[in-house]
Amino acid sequence: MRDQRKIVVFSGNLAFSARKAIVEIDSAIAGLSWLVLIHSPPKTVRQLLRNQWSNFHRNGWRWIPYQITDIWQRLFRATGKAENSSAPGAQFSMSALAARPNVTILKVADMHASASLEAVSAFEPFIGICLAAPLLQRALFAIPKAGTVNLHKGKVPDFRGMPPAFWELWNNESCVGCTVHWVDDLLDKGAVAACTVIERERYSTLRALQLRLDEVGIDLMRNVIVEIIDGQHPGTPQCAGGATYRKPTLAQVAALQRKLVATDLPTSSFSRRWAKVLLGAAAIWAWRVGGYRLLQPRITVLLYHRVSDSVRDNLTVGISQFDQQMQLLRQHCTVLGIEEALGLTTIPRSPKPLVCVTFDDGYLDNYVNAVPSLLRHAIPAAFFVSTGIIGSNKRFAHDIRRGNPAIAMMQWEHLRAMRAAGFCIGSHTVNHIDCAAEAPELVRDELVHSLATLRSELGLQDCLFGYPYGGKRHMTPDRLEMVKQAGYSGCLAAYGGSNIKMIDRFNVLRRGIHWECSNAAFLLQCVGIA
């Protein structure tokens, strides 16, 4: 039985989703041993130049700005990779994975070299997992006793090859697929162990679908490995036919982007967008070269409600938009958990803007779409939920007024998982009431009952309160006194502004973020001067 718990992973770069898959499989199955083989061939100057010429020949003039942008982004990413071992998602970092006592990581110049084959054979793996690896030869993928399975982020046989989701969008498909199949001698043609599809939403972007495929793929692979370890061998031969795709040219990428943008809602004018870009870049630059010494120290608390591509409104940001914003936070800001921020007696001056991330209401898309990006970028966040609407079919009054269809809410199991991952969970009353407008007895009951439910369901002690609607008129001095008497350790508003010099823990100011907030406008909000 112990032999069945040896797993070898073949990968090309061991990106975040690959690391997360390993950690989640390791958590789901006790007693596993891992050998992770990373294909990392060195390239000579001659090879690099040849690759550049080949790409220029294939992509034309677009290759030059593409390369410049790529180099620029890599430089900025390098400045934002400091790992906080206590932040949610830190367990998925490369250093945390390498520190696991049952994981051995072996970086090789050639997966198929004799030394690599010998290392894998000596490990005696029961099952092999292919995660974003180069095409494997039989000499390698046949070593594991039970065989090797590959995670292919596409629907077979119709969409073999690469990249995930691109050709499905190119061909106007209504959904994108994800498949775990057994590896054989032909590309993506092995028997299917498991598969699923993701429905394309109205405003889905390529990056958004790829992010969703990352998460679906992790779940799919984990379930397959559990079955294999249990002695099963799931597999259904693929249908005849299908198509195999290769990496698109930059011209094709640009054409698809134009096509997707044409289906989105109109935004501000070109001149207005560029003005915001320049302002955002200037604000961050000025802050980092010493401008923070001229301003009073501040903490900006961001407020989100929904992360979804099904709608575009002032309570929603897109999936890829949110992921990009979390990346910007990691690169340009110092992100604090709200509890950490409230523990500060005074706000210190910081060479990077100090920012907190919060959510209100408790929509399911917070768990499905926001939490994966928060974990990916190791961003702490707080979620303020209406306890009477969690796990129910009830609807918020503001959704009914907007004419929105029923929107799924989180279940308590989701909140327990988020709490276990290190996220803060707080109260948003029981039924999302206007605390200033309702009778004192009802407000008191909602405050007490919501806190008792959070303590019972999640084992909380100290608990923060974010009051619904969040405007100045929605909280009064006597209602705030009720918040304190109920036992809450802080109260968050939502009428804008940044917290200057100190945080009033019973009047924490927050800035709302929604889909019309460009990257530049987002950075202005983070700096706290917009």
Side-chain angles (χ1 to χ4, degrees), residues 81-104:
K81 285 189 175 179
E83 294 177 356
N84 180 351
S85 60
S86 64
Q91 70 270 33
F92 306 124
S93 68
M94 180 64 84
S95 60
L97 181 64
R100 286 178 172 251
N102 61 331
V103 175
T104 299

Side-chain angles (χ1 to χ4, degrees), residues 242-476:
T244 301
Y245 294 87
R246 62 180 296 194
K247 185 176 181 179
T249 64
L250 292 179
Q252 289 172 318
V253 172
L256 179 61
Q257 181 62 27
R258 288 194 298 271
K259 180 179 177 182
L260 295 176
V261 168
T263 67
D264 213 334
L265 294 174
T267 57
S268 55
S269 66
F270 178 82
S271 59
R272 188 178 179 86
R273 289 199 305 272
W274 267 104
K276 288 183 177 179
V277 168
L278 294 175
L279 279 173
I284 286 294
W285 177 83
W287 186 284
R288 299 186 73 168
V289 298
Y292 67 93
R293 295 189 180 93
L294 304 177
L295 295 174
Q296 292 179 314
R298 63 198 59 210
I299 292 178
T300 298
V301 182
L302 304 178
L303 168 60
Y304 293 90
H305 287 82
R306 299 193 61 205
V307 178
S308 171
D309 286 331
S310 62
V311 297
R312 292 288 186 261
D313 60 29
N314 65 0
L315 293 183
T316 307
V317 297
I319 296 172
S320 59
Q321 179 185 27
F322 179 76
D323 186 75
Q324 193 167 37
Q325 288 175 353
M326 295 306 100
Q327 182 177 314
L328 289 171
L329 286 183
R330 180 52 58 204
Q331 292 172 0
H332 300 295
C333 303
T334 296
V335 188
L336 306 176
I338 188 64
E339 293 164 312
E340 180 185 2
L342 291 177
L344 299 172
T345 54
T346 58
I347 299 174
R349 292 194 181 277
S350 171
K352 288 185 176 182
L354 301 177
V355 180
C356 299
V357 175
T358 66
F359 284 79
D360 277 1
D361 291 347
Y363 295 105
L364 179 60
D365 56 58
N366 290 187
Y367 179 80
V368 174
N369 299 327
V371 166
S373 287
L374 293 167
L375 294 174
R376 179 183 299 270
H377 300 291
I379 302 291
F383 297 81
F384 296 90
V385 300
S386 295
T387 55
I389 299 178
I390 294 297
S392 76
N393 295 321
K394 295 179 181 179
R395 301 179 62 194
F396 290 109
H398 54 73
D399 286 329
I400 296 173
R401 286 196 299 269
R402 291 163 184 263
N404 289 337
I407 302 171
M409 302 302 296
M410 284 190 280
Q411 305 291 319
W412 286 107
E413 64 191 64
H414 300 134
L415 291 168
R416 281 189 278 272
M418 291 158 61
R419 180 65 180 166
F423 295 107
C424 172
I425 311 297
S427 169
H428 203 48
T429 71
V430 177
N431 294 299
H432 201 272
I433 65 166
D434 181 343
C435 292
E438 299 292 348
E441 296 78 10
L442 176 62
V443 175
R444 186 177 292 106
D445 183 69
E446 290 256 337
L447 291 170
V448 171
H449 186 69
S450 180
L451 179 57
T453 301
L454 288 170
R455 285 175 170 168
S456 173
E457 293 284 352
L458 305 179
L460 301 182
Q461 295 303 315
D462 290 338
C463 186
L464 299 171
F465 177 65
Y467 64 89
Y469 305 105
K472 290 183 179 181
R473 69 182 184 278
H474 300 120
M475 179 57 65
T476 63

Side-chain angles (χ1 to χ4, degrees), residues 38-198:
I38 303 176
H39 182 71
S40 182
K43 292 183 179 180
T44 65
V45 173
R46 184 176 181 180
Q47 287 174 316
L48 291 172
L49 291 175
R50 188 186 301 125
N51 288 343
Q52 288 294 324
W53 173 250
S54 175
N55 279 303
F56 178 76
H57 185 264
R58 184 167 185 259
N59 293 287
W61 63 267
R62 288 182 174 86
W63 183 251
I64 296 174
Y66 173 82
Q67 279 294 88
I68 293 173
T69 302
D70 183 64
I71 292 171
W72 180 260
Q73 289 177 342
R74 286 173 185 269
L75 290 173
F76 269 113
R77 285 196 195 106
T79 66
K81 285 189 175 179
E83 294 177 356
N84 180 351
S85 60
S86 64
Q91 70 270 33
F92 306 124
S93 68
M94 180 64 84
S95 60
L97 181 64
R100 286 178 172 251
N102 61 331
V103 175
T104 299
I105 298 177
L106 185 61
K107 188 175 289 189
V108 298
D110 183 0
M111 275 191 172
H112 297 97
S114 57
S116 302
L117 298 175
E118 290 171 4
V120 176
S121 297
F123 181 66
E124 298 181 331
F126 178 73
I127 181 69
I129 300 177
C130 195
L131 298 172
L135 189 63
L136 301 186
Q137 299 173 14
R138 177 166 290 275
L140 185 59
F141 71 71
I143 294 176
K145 184 178 179 180
T148 297
V149 287
N150 175 57
L151 176 58
H152 174 65
K153 295 168 186 175
K155 182 171 60 176
V156 296
D158 301 315
F159 292 94
R160 302 187 182 105
M162 63 179 297
F166 182 91
W167 296 108
E168 287 93 326
L169 291 181
W170 185 270
N171 292 344
N172 290 317
E173 296 288 325
S174 62
C175 61
V176 297
C178 192
T179 309
V180 174
H181 66 82
W182 293 93
V183 177
D184 64 11
D185 296 298
L186 300 174
L187 177 64
D188 297 333
K189 292 190 176 183
V192 174
C195 62
T196 190
V197 296
I198 297 173

